[in-house]
Amino acid sequence: MILVTGATGNVGGVLLDELHASGVGPLRALTRDVTQARFPEGVEAMKGDLADPTSWKPAFEGVRSLFLVPHLGPDAEILQAARHAGVEHVVLLSSITVQTHPHLGPAQGNREVERLLKESGMAWTVLRPTQFASNTLMWATAVREGEAIHAPYGDVALPTIHPADIAAVARVALTEPDHQGRTYALTGPERVTPRQQVAAIASALGRALDFSEISREQAHARMVAVFGAEAADAVLDVTGGDVNDELSTVRDTVSRVTGASARPFRQWASENVAAFR
């Protein structure tokens, strides 16, 4: 039994599709609302919220491999419960900032979960992706309403990753034994700037979009209400204020692990263009 948490998310949903298509199983998906979730036929949908231990402990029964999205509940307790239930291998979704920006609070939080997993007694694989292509969905409302896209650091290029490539690596890690005890830094195949991301979305839509670069201070003011001040600072450091060679490096990990080339941002934009219409 393989259990996928975050099963309706950008990575978890694709991971379930990939696992189902590869013929492995049985598969179980943890979701807060089983009535609204849409999973492949044969996937067992189990209601549960990682923030509520009474709801997710039954989901571990019979599970041998787990895909874990952290920070959705008490991670130490979740890992302990998984170990006691007999889970043998955990694939953890972490972040590349653990190695590129270890001084930042969110990176320290991810490193702590990595430590807990490695000391849990279970086999482990850690995935450290860079910036998600799907982060640009934050622009969808503005695009639909015909407004300009406002973002800082318009010409800072990062190797943004397609969430489906994270899912592809997770699927291999969950189903093939050679990936236990490995930590994988994951990026897309090329660096792309916010300005280029807007251009790719515009091309997919078939119409022009306006891009307006704003200052860090303006962006911070917009983000504080959503993320809080510390997280807003961390996001802005990672996306442009403190970009280093380690963060901007394009890596071939996706192709080495999966045997398929990593998908460029323009492919993500084309596949998700409906969200911007």
Side-chain angles (χ1 to χ4, degrees), residues 30-276:
L30 189 68
T31 179
R32 287 190 293 266
D33 189 349
V34 295
T35 63
Q36 296 298 317
R38 297 291 180 267
F39 300 126
E41 184 177 355
V43 172
E44 179 188 1
M46 180 167 284
K47 184 176 181 179
D49 185 341
L50 287 178
D52 178 9
T54 62
S55 74
W56 50 255
K57 285 185 178 179
F60 290 135
E61 295 177 6
V63 171
R64 291 296 173 265
S65 298
L66 167 67
F67 176 73
L68 180 62
V69 178
H71 313 306
L72 299 180
D75 290 303
E77 188 175 346
I78 290 167
L79 289 169
Q80 184 179 48
R83 178 70 178 89
H84 288 168
V87 174
E88 298 171 354
H89 179 214
V90 178
V91 175
L92 175 68
L93 182 63
S94 185
S95 168
I96 203 168
T97 58
V98 170
Q99 63 198 67
T100 65
H101 291 73
H103 60 286
L104 295 178
Q108 292 171 3
N110 281 313
R111 182 177 291 280
E112 174 62 13
V113 181
E114 291 184 13
R115 183 190 67 80
L116 290 170
L117 173 57
K118 292 175 182 179
E119 295 177 356
S120 69
M122 295 179 286
W124 53 269
T125 308
V126 174
L127 309 185
R128 292 178 175 172
T130 186
Q131 181 187 67
F132 286 25
S134 52
N135 289 357
T136 58
L137 289 170
M138 72 177 82
W139 300 335
T141 299
V143 171
R144 289 194 300 267
E145 295 180 357
E147 301 174 357
I149 305 302
H150 300 280
Y153 309 119
D155 297 305
V156 173
L158 295 173
T160 300
I161 189 167
H162 194 309
D165 284 330
I166 305 171
V169 174
R171 186 258 307 163
V172 173
L174 285 164
T175 58
E176 299 179 9
D178 293 343
H179 305 282
Q180 295 182 8
R182 303 288 186 89
T183 298
Y184 291 126
L186 307 177
T187 75
E190 59 191 8
R191 299 180 189 91
V192 59
T193 69
R195 198 182 305 276
Q196 291 169 331
Q197 289 174 330
V198 171
I201 294 169
S203 177
L205 286 168
R207 63 181 176 88
L209 296 176
D210 293 328
F211 176 80
S212 176
E213 183 170 358
I214 59 177
S215 69
R216 180 190 177 101
E217 292 71 25
Q218 290 171 312
H220 188 272
R222 291 167 179 245
M223 296 169 66
V224 164
V226 178
F227 302 113
E230 181 183 12
D233 280 329
V235 170
L236 289 167
D237 280 349
V238 171
T239 56
D242 186 26
V243 171
N244 53 41
D245 290 342
E246 180 79 355
L247 182 65
S248 60
T249 297
V250 174
R251 305 166 195 271
D252 65 351
T253 318
V254 171
S255 60
R256 285 192 292 106
V257 173
T258 68
S261 298
R263 288 161 259 215
F265 179 83
R266 61 182 177 276
Q267 179 174 341
W268 181 89
S270 177
E271 292 170 353
N272 295 273
V273 67
F276 297 91

